[in-house]
Amino acid sequence: MPAASRPRVLSGIRPTGSSFQLGNWVGAVRHWAAMQDEADCFYFVADLHALIDTPDPAQLRRRTREAVAELLALGLDPARSTVFVQSHVRQHAELAWALGCLTGFGEASRMTQFKEKGGGSVGLFTYPVLQAADILLYAADAVPIGEDQRQHLELTRDLAQRFNARYGDTLVVPAAYQGREGERIKDLQDPARKMSKSIGGAGTVWVLDDPKALTKKVRSAVTDTGREVVASPDKPGVTNLLTILSVATGRDVPALQDDFAGKGYGDLKAAVADALVALFAPVRERYDALVADPGHLDAVLAEGAERAREVAERTMAAVRERAGLLAPAPAHPTGAA
Ligand code: TRP
């Protein structure tokens, strides 16, 4: 299908942690890969957003490249999708300023990410506005993201509508978020909390964990009282393991429960470990090959940035014009009278 008749999809991920974790793959990246044939996809590594933690510069640079390699290893295909680094497209920061001027102080204060940290930098405060710019620059119809990003998408829709109401129809309002229930991955050591990069202990499965580390983490996962392998609210640990097994194998939870009738938690853990190793071992291999070839990564990113800039500049030119920013006069040779 030609790009013009396919829906536009955009999403981003921050280059934090030492790798992506299982929850990033389940909640976001596996959907990104699956959408590449039906949609005109733009996927980026959000290095500007990563600056809110003021990471070590050398580490941020390295991790940004690794994050790109990881996305490619997880199935993003630069021949079908535009894969790029956020800071390579200056229009993100430029549109964020214009949108920030339409965002209420109270509105930004109510965003949970800011509220939960109880303050911080102006960058943290305006984080959702930059994210809105990321999305609106590419006229995205849909934004596949984890459940925790729903509020950011709602702000994005509000800002697009506000811009259009103030200046005339300019920005595409992305579709409301439609997440899947029941596929939220929890920490293996504390199944009451979602798995996250920031916890990052023995309860977090990294996409790039080696098979030994991965198996060990699954084997020491917290389970529940009783012995039956069933998903239920009073068995959060077992439910989490069944959910992981379900997304890793593509079998639904009821079918898995039947498989494990008469078996125990140890069998379940062994199956989960095997499934995750089968899933991620090839990813690790592709990742190793990709980081060993920096020239190839550079070429992918140069091409991605070029394609992204073209689309972003089209939107930004319309925004400047609508908002009344004076277009610069064409340069003329110095000395010409
Ligand atoms: N805030 C997102 C996260 O933490 C990352 C992100 C930045 C993003 N810009 C985006 C996601 C634009 C979707 C669209 O996961």
Side-chain angles (χ1 to χ4, degrees), residues 38 59 75 89 108 140 159 163 178 181 213 257 262 275 287 290 307 331:
E38 311 134 36
Q59 203 173 317
V89 184
L159 290 176
F163 188 99
Q178 289 187 321
E181 286 302 319
Q257 287 177 169
Y287 173 85
L290 283 158
R307 290 213 298 252

Side-chain angles (χ1 to χ4, degrees), residues 172-184:
V172 172
V173 182
Y177 169 79
Q178 289 187 321
R180 301 186 191 195
E181 286 302 319
E183 286 187 352
R184 254 173 282 165

Side-chain angles (χ1 to χ4, degrees), residues 7 26 48 51 53 92 109 114 176 205 225 295 329 337:
V26 173
L48 294 174
L51 283 182
D53 300 321
H92 289 245
S109 313
F114 179 73
V205 172
T225 51

Side-chain angles (χ1 to χ4, degrees), residues 10-14 44 46 49 127 131 134-135 143 145 149 152:
L10 170 132
S11 201
I13 190 162
R14 268 185 288 163
F44 68 95
H49 278 112
Y127 181 111
Q131 182 162 347
D134 297 338
I135 296 167
V143 187
I145 39 178
Q149 297 295 310
H152 289 159

Side-chain angles (χ1 to χ4, degrees), residues 45-203:
V45 172
D47 58 344
L48 294 174
H49 278 112
L51 283 182
I52 60 163
D53 300 321
T54 56
D56 173 72
Q59 203 173 317
L60 175 61
R61 243 185 308 273
R62 180 171 47 77
R63 183 58 203 140
T64 299
R65 297 181 67 92
E66 289 173 357
V68 174
E70 221 178 317
L71 290 176
L72 301 183
L74 285 167
L76 298 198
D77 172 9
R80 288 181 289 160
S81 296
T82 301
V83 179
F84 65 101
V85 170
Q86 185 186 28
S87 67
H88 293 179
V89 184
R90 308 278 195 257
Q91 286 83 350
H92 289 245
E94 190 182 0
L95 182 58
W97 175 258
L99 295 175
C101 294
L102 291 172
T103 310
F105 191 87
E107 187 176 32
S109 313
R110 284 191 297 275
M111 301 300 287
T112 31
Q113 193 181 358
F114 179 73
K115 261 189 5 202
E116 274 170 10
K117 290 219 175 144
S121 66
V122 172
L124 178 67
F125 187 61
T126 60
Y127 181 111
V129 178
L130 178 59
Q131 182 162 347
D134 297 338
I135 296 167
L136 298 176
L137 270 181
Y138 299 92
D141 300 298
V143 187
I145 39 178
E147 159 73 22
D148 58 331
Q149 297 295 310
R150 178 193 295 262
Q151 197 189 27
H152 289 159
L153 194 65
E154 263 146 38
L155 177 73
T156 303
R157 288 167 52 81
D158 288 346
L159 290 176
Q161 281 158 349
R162 207 170 295 160
F163 188 99
N164 291 346
R166 172 72 183 85
Y167 296 116
D169 232 355
T170 313
L171 301 171
V172 172
V173 182
Y177 169 79
Q178 289 187 321
R180 301 186 191 195
E181 286 302 319
E183 286 187 352
R184 254 173 282 165
I185 303 302
K186 303 294 171 60
D187 189 278
L188 294 181
Q189 289 298 317
D190 180 3
R193 308 167 62 162
K194 70 172 190 175
M195 191 178 284
S196 96
K197 291 185 206 175
S198 53
I199 302 175

